[in-house]
Amino acid sequence: MNRAANLARRLTAVEQQRDRRRLAHTYRLTDGRTVRLSTLAMLRTFTAGLALNGKEPPEPPPAARDMALLAPDADTSMIGRSMRAVAAEWCQAYDEGRLVALYEREGGMAQ
């Protein structure tokens, strides 16, 4: 019985490790580094960045800095381009000490 419990525990650990690997991908950044970014971390960074529009940005997390340096051909989908753009704007606004401006208001002024 102890042997069966150990085997079950090992199988569960292998399955969890396999699932974690599937949720992270390796990317080559424009500065030459290669990083492994978690899909969930990228989505968290994206949603946090979207909420910053018109606000004073806090220091971007390392995932945002890495996402801002993704090569344009890393993900050419609409969501991939949007995630890079939000991360880049967050980092740039923080570095320049200005408000985050992700989209324009109806009056033509970015906020």
Side-chain angles (χ1 to χ4, degrees):
M1 186 155 165
N2 191 13
R3 190 172 181 190
N6 286 339
L7 180 60
R9 190 182 55 206
R10 286 182 189 168
L11 287 175
T12 301
V14 168
E15 287 178 35
Q16 289 174 346
Q17 185 177 20
R18 187 187 67 216
D19 289 345
R20 277 191 301 253
R21 276 194 219 130
R22 246 188 253 154
L23 292 175
H25 301 282
T26 303
Y27 295 96
R28 184 127 173 103
L29 303 181
T30 56
D31 65 358
R33 291 183 299 135
T34 300
V35 296
R36 191 162 173 82
L37 294 172
S38 159
T39 304
L40 296 176
M42 291 176 73
L43 286 172
R44 256 187 252 114
T45 301
F46 180 57
T47 55
L50 286 174
L52 292 174
N53 189 53
K55 297 178 182 169
E56 192 74 34
E59 182 174 359
R65 294 276 182 196
D66 290 341
M67 288 168 59
L69 292 174
L70 285 172
D73 60 347
D75 185 357
T76 57
S77 68
M78 183 178 72
I79 191 72
R81 291 190 316 262
S82 299
M83 291 170 85
R84 277 192 309 279
V86 168
E89 172 59 20
W90 182 355
C91 294
Q92 189 175 7
Y94 177 79
D95 293 343
E96 295 174 359
R98 62 175 174 80
L99 301 179
V100 176
L102 295 173
Y103 56 86
E104 293 183 11
R105 297 263 174 187
E106 286 186 24
M109 300 274 299
Q111 184 171 337

